Amino acid sequence: MAAPLSRLSCLGCGATRPIEEALTECPACGGLLEVLHDLASFGRSGREWRDLFDRRRSALPNAETPAFERSGVWRYREHVFPALAPEEIVSKPEGATRLYRSADLGKEVGLARLFIKHEGENPTLSFKDRGMTVGVSWARHLGRTDVVCASTGDTSAALASYAAEVPGMRAVVLLPEAKITGEQLSQALHHGALTLGLATDFDGCMRIVADLARTHPVYLLNSKNPVRIEGQKTIGQEAIHDLGWEVPDWFVVPVGNAGNVSAIGKGIREWLDLGVIGKRPRIAGAQAEAADPFYRSFLTGFAERVTRTADETEASAIRIGAPVSHPKARREIELSNGTVTRVTEAELLEAAALANRHGLAICPNSAVALAGAAKLRREGAIGRDETVVVVATAHAIKFSGAAVRYHGSDARHANPARSLPASLEAVAGQLRR
Ligand code: F0G
């Protein structure tokens, strides 16, 4: 019998399990699992893979084209999740996000070749859709009806929205009460999720949902579930494809629970192994000072796995003190000769304002990566002429409160709204100011 194409493998003890067991942690040691595919068994060269992906990317869709054929995740489907048949895929579609060249913004931060991969242009306005199309499709394949997550607001939005497309499936989301934005909350409510606000922080919700998944017949769809990572790894792959197969020198990524850094790194390693690309980009993780456990761990050379209580920050989606995917993310930073940086609240707010002033619409969490890239440039870790892809993880509009607070302040790029009497003179007077 042929060896199964995909299996689950434990980062902790190395045990492997069949993919169909749908585990979200190692039953032997409790370690993190990852999906490993035997991609060499396809027998295609790097060139042949690139040609296949180029053909898919340039195919013209019509009214009958299924969503997955238009998806920037499933364009790479053999590498994403070969255990799913195309007709089993729940796709909106997702991915195929824009890569912005951001030349003027780059000049302001000293980067001559700055690109922004805008994952906020996904259907639920964050990168989570890339993981959720895989996670919810797999849950349906397995016949799982209750899908659950803890969330700082974006995972819950994506889970609720994808589950809403599957008859009989119910999303159950655990949210740190009053710590996510109203826009994010509205997404879970609109899409019919059982929405539970808990009097704790994200880390508290995460502990409870993990226990729930151990003790109840629910399927966990946080990024601890390795299936999610398979979809998210296409962020980096698609950005390379967007660049006409030019591999950037750096990917800069905001770090919360540390799934996305893990995902982007895994996708790159797989493409290096297959010869799809010939160069290894470096990966930089960026955190907010208020929630910087991964940065603090990095400072110890990863000798220590630091956790902390995360403080309030406008980058509320990455307000996480104990990143679950720390071991995976650490591996990707180390293997890519990458780095981890940290930015202050003022730096992230200014980066968001600057990017959005240049016509982008990136959220405060994304701005942590942009501010991080600028900081690494100033410190000389990133060279002026290096090609840098900043991953913008969600859309500005999901965090409107942060924008309103910023523009109502006396901060450097603040653009406050003005209240006027309803008269032509008053309006015209403002034009002359
Ligand atoms: N940016 C945004 C907008 C996010 O929503 C998240 C994570 C991250 C960055 C960090 O990604 O966790 O893979 O390191 N949000 C999760 C959630 C925790 O529940 O929505 P990560």
Side-chain angles (χ1 to χ4, degrees):
M1 209 176 92
L5 193 54
S6 308
R7 62 191 193 283
L8 297 169
S9 170
C10 175
L11 242 71
C13 69
T16 64
R17 309 284 294 203
I19 189 93
E20 296 279 345
E21 282 189 18
L23 300 164
T24 52
E25 62 187 23
C26 177
C29 76
L32 284 179
L33 296 173
E34 64 181 332
V35 178
L36 295 181
H37 309 292
D38 182 10
L39 299 177
S41 67
F42 283 101
R44 287 200 181 99
S45 69
R47 163 102 252 159
E48 287 166 334
W49 283 120
R50 288 199 302 276
D51 288 347
L52 172 66
F53 300 147
D54 280 345
R55 277 199 303 281
R56 285 190 185 147
R57 191 181 169 119
S58 58
L60 282 180
N62 61 37
E64 307 315 319
T65 305
F68 79 87
E69 295 271 19
R70 287 175 283 129
S71 165
V73 172
W74 298 104
R75 181 184 298 147
Y76 313 105
R77 52 187 168 269
E78 293 84 354
H79 298 182
V80 169
F81 213 75
L84 275 167
E87 61 276 10
E88 296 181 291
I89 292 171
V90 183
S91 172
K92 288 182 179 289
E94 49 292 309
T97 56
R98 291 182 191 85
L99 181 75
Y100 290 94
R101 177 61 206 262
S102 308
D104 291 339
L105 176 61
K107 263 187 216 126
E108 298 218 34
V109 297
L111 290 165
R113 288 178 59 75
L114 172 66
F115 295 84
I116 307 281
K117 183 64 172 164
H118 203 334
E119 290 298 302
E121 295 181 349
N122 272 292
T124 75
L125 309 183
S126 89
F127 73 95
K128 305 289 183 181
D129 296 338
R130 290 194 191 249
M132 227 37 102
T133 180
V134 183
V136 167
S137 300
W138 189 233
R140 181 171 72 170
H141 168 97
L142 298 166
R144 308 298 287 265
T145 51
D146 273 347
V147 286
V148 303
C149 72
S151 184
T152 54
D154 290 327
T155 299
S156 46
L159 180 63
S161 173
Y162 278 80
E165 296 216 23
V166 181
M169 188 176 281
R170 176 170 68 158
V172 181
V173 304
L174 277 59
L175 306 173
E177 187 142 52
K179 293 188 178 74
I180 77 167
T181 71
E183 294 92 344
Q184 292 173 315
L185 176 61
S186 77
Q187 292 180 289
L189 302 177
H190 274 318
H191 301 311
L194 175 58
T195 303
L196 309 172
L198 274 53
T200 179
D201 56 9
F202 171 83
D203 302 291
C205 292
M206 191 65 230
R207 279 192 295 274
I208 292 171
V209 85
D211 284 342
L212 186 73
R214 283 181 200 113
T215 52
H216 290 72
V218 298
Y219 190 51
L220 181 69
L221 275 173
N222 278 100
S223 57
K224 182 178 177 185
N225 186 330
V227 162
R228 281 260 319 271
I229 299 296
E230 295 310 295
Q232 287 174 208
K233 76 187 181 191
T234 62
I235 297 171
Q237 295 176 332
E238 190 180 270
I240 291 169
H241 201 177
D242 292 335
L243 289 167
W245 302 111
E246 177 195 331
V247 179
D249 297 294
W250 289 92
F251 280 98
V252 188
V253 188
V255 176
N257 220 11
N260 218 20
V261 161
S262 314
I264 291 169
K266 181 174 191 276
I268 284 161
R269 286 190 290 109
E270 288 173 352
W271 273 12
L272 278 166
D273 285 349
L274 290 170
V276 176
I277 55 174
K279 183 185 121 182
R280 185 192 292 278
R282 299 170 73 183
I283 300 176
Q287 294 207 293
E289 219 168 65
D292 62 352
F294 193 62
Y295 171 77
R296 292 192 196 193
S297 304
F298 173 77
L299 286 187
T300 71
F302 289 120
E304 220 188 305
R305 181 173 176 176
V306 179
T307 60
R308 57 166 290 183
T309 300
D311 290 328
E312 196 168 333
T313 166
E314 291 287 18
S316 57
I318 53 175
R319 182 177 177 180
I320 294 174
V324 167
S325 291
H326 170 106
K328 288 185 179 176
R330 168 193 173 170
R331 179 178 62 178
E332 302 308 339
I333 297 295
E334 290 181 335
L335 288 177
S336 76
N337 188 25
T339 189
V340 184
T341 187
R342 167 180 84 163
V343 301
T344 65
E345 203 65 12
E347 286 169 332
L348 77 89
L349 289 172
E350 186 166 315
L354 198 60
N356 296 335
R357 185 71 187 73
H358 280 284
L360 293 168
I362 69 167
C363 73
N365 316 285
S366 311
V368 167
L370 178 60
K375 181 168 267 180
L376 291 170
R377 171 69 204 103
R378 284 199 302 280
E379 294 169 353
I382 297 183
R384 186 188 169 275
D385 296 317
E386 288 193 295
T387 302
V388 177
V389 173
V390 166
V391 178
T393 44
H395 201 282
I397 216 72
K398 287 186 133 190
F399 299 82
S400 69
V404 170
R405 282 185 287 277
Y406 179 86
H407 289 294
S409 77
D410 56 6
R412 179 150 161 231
H413 302 287
N415 176 32
R418 296 164 198 171
S419 298
L420 295 180
S423 77
L424 175 61
E425 303 85 86
V427 171
Q430 290 291 320
L431 295 188
R432 286 192 295 273
R433 271 180 48 154

